[in-house]
Amino acid sequence: MLLSELKTGDSAVITKVKGYGAFRKRLNEMGFVRGKVVKAVKNAPLNDPIEYAIMGYEISLRRQEAAFIEIVSLEEASNIVGISGSARDAEEAFAKHWEGRDKHIHVAFVGNPNAGKTTLFNYMSGSQEHVGNYGGVTIDAKSATFRFDGYEFNVVDLPGTYSISAYSNEEKYVREYIMNNAPDVVINVVDSSNLERNLYLSTQLIDMDVKGVIALNMYDELERSGATFDYQKMGKMIGMPMVPTVGSKGKGVKELLREVIEVYEGKSEVVRHIHINYGKEIEDGIVAIRTELKEEKELICNMSPRFLSLMLLEGDREITDFVQRSKSAEKIMPLVKENICRVEATFSESVEAVVTDTKYGFISGALKETYKESLVNRRRKTEYIDAIVTHKLFGFPIFLLFLFTTFFATFSLGSYPMEWIEAGVGALSELVDAHMTAGPLKDLLIDGIIGGVGSVIVFLPNILILFLFISFMEDTGYMARAAFIMDKLMHKLGLHGKSFIPMIMGFGCNVPAIMSTRMLENRSDRILTILINPFMSCSARLPVYILLVGAFFSEYAALVLFGIYLVGILAAIVMAKLFKRVLFHKQEVPFVMELPPYRMPTFRTTIRHMWSKGEQYLKKMGGIIMFASILIWALGYFPVDKELEAKYTARKAEVTTAYEATIASGIGNTEVLKTEQEAKLESLHRQEVSERQENSYISRLGRVMEPVWSPLGLDWKAGVSLLTGVAAKEVVVSTMAVLYQGEEGMEEDDTSTLQARLKEHGFTPVVAIIFIVFVLLYSPCFAALIAIGKEIGMKWAFFVMGYTTVLAWVVCFVLKQILDLIV
């Protein structure tokens, strides 16, 4: 509970005081320290500020300030320590109780993209967040809780960012989180192999006056390069302790956590607040603005007055808007403009440029005293590889080769375990069939649950192999090169080079791909990238492709699968060009993207990433896919036709009677006769299911919409399958498995697999192509539509749903006419 929530007349015990350094220190000096009893005396007429009684005197705080103080009720605290005496007795008991006991530390991870921040977070907390060797992987704050040395750590992994100047969405998010949530300690994760650039963010944290510890991650790379770094001396110079770590191997993690505890408890001898000197002109401006801000409590309770003054001088848009909305804007803003004009007239460039140069000068000076570069070029290996994979002639073919290899392995290697799982599903179906009496429950289990869910789960190996390759490309750093290679093409489409990263991520799942567009600074680029992202074939569409490609194009499976994905990319290119001309005319943001050094991912990280996606796939099996399979079966089973049921019961009885009579006569081979009887009964069952479906609820729904599908050469069953696919694309296969049952005309040597059943029901190579293209182009699933709504608004989500479906129908109609002429 927060002090601002304490009701008038109630008392409570302070458990924690948050906020930036100077503000927290001022609250402590006023008596707001852990273990003290505080009472809410009264509210001002407008409910702000609030008068509190503490340590024998009254003091008023604004609600905004009181929100930085955490409390527990007096009753709750008394129950903890078992005392109900005077306030002084209670305070002494509370002090003894909390001394040496479990304490809660709120820690925020900040750092540049590719610094290994999420890897360190995962190892420390046991989480399984995705780790990628390019910017924008952590697209939201991820939190975890764990215990260490008697402390409970609540750690939050914030998005990777190069600074906190609110240039991008990530920068804005990180800065607002630090200011509004006031973490007890900030862990600044730094790439040890690129100190000068990474420490720029550290200087901004110094300006913010937050308690921090610098994790020198990937320190083994610095040591292998032959460089030397006196990090202890550097830590004392900047007032933030430094701890070497290797996040992927867990080295230095315990030392880092112990240093966080030292900083939290105020026992670190290194921690001190320093001021980076920006030169007389800027310092004079800071002092002038800061003097005016000192009395504006509502402006400076969330952030250091010095940091606020500096941001105003730099012309930070968010901070400027924040101050302009305050009552003091008329007094402060003219002073800010006056000082900006003075500094820019002196240096003939913007204040932001002068501050940036000064920060890098500060970093450079500190590194000269503590860091010694190796004579060996540490990036030589990366440069050698880049000379080939980003070559102007070889780069694009190599990228296409990577994609082809991915899809070849997905289809070829995945076919073996796929057959094993398929055989297991078939054996389970036979087991249930042999041990259950005929009836709706048996039909539900065999045709609904096992048939529907089993038809989708067989594609799990293919999904795992696809994610294995995608994970490897991301973790090594090659995905960033793919964006670099595609930048020129993306630029011609009016897109940012970084847009290619979400597009490639879409091959895995469109939802995180849509969320990852936050790495794009320009909103128009974000919207445009999201609008075309559904054309990237996600892993949920893969079962449909493999089913139909395996049935009709097995000889050229890998090539056809590769072509399907290229068609999706081509569709995205065409629509991007169209949307850019019609909807978006804003100037593009320059292509600025880091090309990180290549790193060989650990086997553990790659497998964990692959399996986490497989786990999500399996969860769908027991969730939406099972629900959809049961629903589709029920709609196809009901209403029950008593006459139809009686007719087929009689026909099955005739088959059984004839079999028993033949056995009794002793004519023929018993095993052969048994096999023939089972085949006849199975054929009758399929006929019954087929006739029942023709009169079922789902048939009525499908036939109402048949005019939509018939011009494309699709029957009502295929149409219903596509309709259910809007919920989740995997449901397309499970719906087909339920609706397409075997018929009497099956040859004895035919299998009962879904592929064989599709051929029975009139699926041809032409129909398969039309169906695949429609699945490729039409509306993304509900989860993706919801993600679009959250990112850019529901009107865009409905627009995507509508335009993709219309586009899919038109393209498939034209394609049908062309194929009919050719075939």
Side-chain angles (χ1 to χ4, degrees):
M1 190 166 74
L2 303 178
L3 181 59
S4 57
E5 300 168 348
L6 188 63
K7 295 180 180 178
T8 303
D10 288 351
S11 296
V13 178
I14 298 172
T15 58
K16 181 183 288 187
V17 179
K18 304 186 294 183
Y20 70 89
F23 174 71
R24 184 170 57 245
K25 184 179 179 182
R26 182 170 67 86
L27 288 175
N28 291 154
E29 290 171 347
M30 292 162 59
F32 292 94
V33 294
R34 188 175 65 187
K36 295 298 180 183
V37 176
V38 59
K39 180 179 180 181
V41 179
K42 61 184 177 183
N43 289 351
L46 298 178
N47 286 327
D48 202 11
I50 306 169
E51 183 179 315
Y52 295 100
I54 188 169
M55 297 178 68
Y57 70 103
E58 283 73 39
I59 188 168
S60 66
L61 290 180
R62 293 179 180 271
R63 284 188 180 274
Q64 199 172 8
E65 295 175 305
F68 283 91
I69 302 173
E70 294 182 1
I71 58 173
V72 294
S73 68
L74 194 59
E75 182 180 355
E76 182 182 356
S78 297
N79 290 334
I80 293 173
V81 298
I83 191 171
S84 56
S86 66
R88 185 168 185 79
D89 293 336
E91 287 177 357
E92 290 178 0
F94 297 145
K96 289 179 181 179
H97 173 79
W98 273 303
E99 185 177 354
R101 295 184 67 86
D102 288 357
K103 299 165 189 174
H104 303 275
I105 307 179
H106 178 195
V107 178
F109 278 80
V110 300
N112 288 188
N114 310 310
K117 178 173 53 64
T118 303
T119 304
L120 196 62
F121 170 83
N122 285 343
Y123 195 96
M124 186 180 292
S125 63
S127 301
Q128 295 185 6
E129 296 302 331
H130 177 206
V131 178
N133 193 11
Y134 60 89
V137 174
T138 309
I139 47 182
D140 207 343
K142 307 295 189 302
S143 62
T145 302
F146 62 92
R147 303 177 77 84
F148 178 80
D149 279 3
Y151 288 79
E152 183 176 87
F153 283 79
N154 176 27
V155 293
V156 179
D157 180 22
L158 297 174
T161 176
Y162 294 105
S163 75
I164 45 177
S165 301
Y167 175 64
S168 67
N169 292 320
E170 287 90 349
E171 293 174 357
K172 179 182 176 182
Y173 186 94
V174 171
R175 189 171 72 186
E176 288 184 351
Y177 185 91
I178 294 174
M179 291 191 305
N180 296 333
N181 294 277
D184 299 314
V185 180
V186 171
I187 295 180
N188 179 202
V189 183
V190 167
D191 180 357
S192 299
S193 63
N194 201 339
L195 288 170
E196 187 169 9
R197 194 212 54 209
N198 277 243
L199 288 172
Y200 181 83
L201 179 58
S202 305
T203 62
Q204 293 183 311
L205 294 175
I206 291 171
D207 288 333
M208 291 187 76
D209 191 15
V210 297
K211 282 187 175 183
V213 178
I214 295 177
L216 296 169
N217 202 29
M218 295 179 278
Y219 200 76
D220 53 338
E221 291 189 12
L222 182 146
E223 292 177 324
R224 281 199 301 269
S225 71
T228 58
F229 182 41
D230 188 347
Y231 60 85
Q232 292 178 329
K233 181 179 179 181
M234 179 69 152
K236 290 178 180 178
M237 289 172 62
I238 66 174
M240 295 176 75
M242 293 183 162
V243 181
T245 61
V246 182
S248 60
K249 299 177 182 177
K251 292 183 178 179
V253 171
K254 291 183 179 179
E255 291 79 3
L256 177 63
L257 291 173
R258 291 190 181 106
E259 191 62 51
V260 169
I261 292 171
E262 288 288 304
V263 172
Y264 171 74
E265 295 290 359
K267 297 177 181 178
S268 175
E269 297 179 357
V270 176
V271 174
R272 63 189 180 95
H273 179 56
I274 67 168
H275 284 176
I276 298 172
N277 192 319
Y278 294 104
K280 185 177 185 305
E281 296 297 328
I282 292 179
E283 289 294 336
D284 286 349
I286 291 174
V287 170
I289 299 170
R290 185 178 176 180
T291 302
E292 292 294 332
L293 288 172
K294 274 188 175 180
E295 300 304 319
E296 307 300 329
K297 291 184 179 181
E298 64 179 47
L299 292 178
I300 62 172
C301 69
N302 281 44
M303 69 186 92
S304 159
R306 178 178 172 82
F307 176 71
L308 179 59
S309 303
L310 183 61
M311 289 294 100
L312 287 171
L313 281 175
E314 289 189 56
D316 186 277
R317 186 176 64 253
E318 299 289 333
I319 297 295
T320 300
D321 290 344
F322 170 67
V323 174
Q324 284 180 334
R325 290 193 298 268
S326 71
K327 299 175 183 177
S328 311
E330 294 182 2
K331 178 176 62 174
I332 295 172
M333 292 312 299
L335 181 63
V336 171
K337 291 177 182 177
E338 177 188 333
N339 280 277
I340 290 174
C341 292
R342 178 177 55 79
V343 173
E344 291 183 347
T346 302
F347 294 99
S348 299
E349 57 182 340
S350 68
V351 178
E352 186 179 11
V354 177
V355 170
T356 301
D357 288 344
T358 306
K359 285 183 184 292
Y360 276 115
F362 170 80
I363 295 167
S364 178
L367 287 175
K368 280 182 180 179
E369 295 187 34
T370 57
Y371 180 75
K372 191 172 183 180
E373 180 73 74
S374 170
L375 298 176
V376 180
N377 185 356
R378 58 186 169 81
R379 290 183 63 97
R380 186 170 294 172
K381 180 177 69 173
T382 292
E383 290 168 359
Y384 286 155
I385 298 174
D386 274 348
I388 300 172
V389 300
T390 62
H391 192 274
K392 62 181 180 180
L393 295 179
F394 306 138
F396 197 73
I398 289 173
F399 172 64
L400 292 179
L401 179 63
F402 276 140
L403 286 184
F404 179 79
T405 303
T406 299
F407 302 130
F408 179 81
T410 298
F411 194 91
S412 302
L413 297 180
S415 62
Y416 300 105
M418 178 180 168
E419 291 173 1
W420 304 335
I421 297 175
E422 197 170 53
V425 171
L428 179 62
S429 181
E430 291 176 5
L431 181 67
V432 174
D433 186 34
H435 291 83
M436 286 190 70
T437 55
L441 180 59
K442 179 179 178 179
D443 291 340
L444 170 62
L445 288 174
I446 295 175
D447 298 328
I449 297 176
I450 298 176
V453 176
S455 64
V456 180
I457 202 172
V458 297
F459 299 106
L460 176 63
N462 308 92
I463 301 294
L464 292 176
I465 293 170
L466 175 66
F467 275 109
L468 178 66
F469 276 83
I470 291 177
S471 176
F472 183 79
M473 285 193 287
E474 290 176 347
D475 296 346
T476 55
Y478 179 73
M479 203 66 85
R481 271 72 185 179
F484 175 78
I485 293 166
M486 296 296 294
D487 175 57
K488 189 172 183 179
L489 175 61
M490 303 300 283
H491 183 73
K492 287 182 178 179
L493 302 177
L495 280 169
H496 196 286
K498 286 184 184 178
S499 296
F500 194 66
I501 295 291
M503 291 173 69
I504 290 294
M505 288 179 69
F507 287 155
C509 180
N510 290 137
V511 174
I514 289 165
M515 295 174 68
S516 71
T517 58
R518 295 177 191 176
M519 70 172 73
L520 302 171
E521 291 82 9
N522 187 294
R523 179 169 170 80
S524 295
D525 285 340
R526 287 191 68 208
I527 296 174
L528 183 52
T529 304
I530 288 173
L531 292 183
I532 63 173
N533 194 273
F535 297 126
M536 301 297 103
S537 291
C538 63
S539 59
R541 291 182 172 102
L542 189 60
V544 182
Y545 300 157
I546 292 177
L547 172 70
L548 295 176
V549 170
F552 299 98
F553 313 102
S554 57
E555 294 181 6
Y556 313 100
L559 193 61
V560 173
L561 196 61
F562 180 56
I564 293 169
Y565 280 78
L566 286 184
V567 170
I569 294 173
L570 180 62
I573 290 173
V574 172
M575 295 310 299
K577 195 72 175 175
L578 178 63
F579 285 143
K580 190 65 180 178
R581 288 188 175 181
V582 176
L583 299 177
F584 307 103
H585 307 285
K586 292 184 179 180
Q587 186 177 2
E588 297 89 3
V589 175
F591 179 74
V592 180
M593 183 172 180
E594 179 189 4
L595 294 180
Y598 289 99
R599 294 188 175 98
M600 182 58 67
T602 62
F603 180 76
R604 174 173 171 262
T605 300
T606 303
I607 294 299
R608 186 172 63 184
H609 175 214
M610 178 192 75
W611 179 245
S612 68
K613 297 301 180 182
E615 193 176 25
Q616 292 175 19
Y617 189 73
L618 287 175
K619 286 179 179 177
K620 279 188 177 182
M621 300 301 103
I624 186 171
I625 293 174
M626 181 177 286
F627 173 77
S629 298
I630 294 172
L631 179 62
I632 297 299
W633 173 86
L635 291 174
Y637 190 88
F638 295 102
V640 176
D641 188 335
K642 296 294 184 181
E643 293 183 5
L644 179 69
E645 192 175 310
K647 181 180 76 171
Y648 276 97
T649 300
R651 291 179 64 179
K652 289 175 184 177
E654 290 174 7
V655 172
T656 302
T657 302
Y659 165 72
E660 290 174 351
T662 306
I663 291 294
S665 66
I667 301 173
N669 185 289
T670 304
E671 291 185 5
V672 173
L673 291 172
K674 179 68 174 175
T675 303
E676 290 177 353
Q677 184 224 17
E678 289 175 352
K680 289 177 182 178
L681 290 175
E682 177 65 20
S683 177
L684 287 172
H685 173 71
R686 296 297 176 191
Q687 290 178 55
E688 182 182 5
V689 169
S690 181
E691 283 192 43
R692 186 191 299 129
Q693 282 184 351
E694 293 299 321
N695 300 307
S696 66
Y697 293 127
I698 201 165
S699 173
R700 298 171 191 176
L701 173 64
R703 293 186 189 285
V704 168
M705 299 189 66
E706 200 164 22
V708 175
W709 310 114
S710 57
L712 308 182
L714 303 176
D715 62 12
W716 68 266
K717 295 180 181 179
V720 170
S721 300
L722 292 170
L723 190 63
T724 60
V726 178
K729 293 296 178 283
E730 298 97 335
V731 178
V732 173
V733 174
S734 63
T735 303
M736 294 174 81
V738 174
L739 294 180
Y740 288 103
Q741 304 292 340
E743 293 184 337
E744 187 177 12
M746 285 183 68
E747 298 296 332
E748 290 185 6
D749 59 347
D750 278 341
T751 66
S752 61
T753 63
L754 179 55
Q755 291 178 338
R757 282 185 261 144
L758 290 176
K759 292 178 180 178
E760 297 169 38
H761 285 266
F763 258 76
T764 64
V766 171
V767 175
I769 291 172
I770 298 298
F771 195 89
I772 287 172
V773 172
F774 200 95
V775 169
L776 169 66
L777 298 179
Y778 88 122
S779 172
C781 66
F782 283 156
L785 292 171
I786 291 170
I788 293 171
K790 286 182 178 179
E791 294 299 317
I792 55 176
M794 285 309 299
K795 66 176 183 179
W796 287 111
F798 288 118
F799 175 73
V800 169
M801 186 179 185
Y803 101 81
T804 53
T805 304
V806 171
L807 177 67
W809 194 95
V810 171
V811 170
C812 288
F813 178 77
V814 173
L815 185 60
K816 174 74 164 54
Q817 311 311 310
I818 295 172
L819 291 175
D820 284 346
L821 292 174
I822 295 174
V823 177

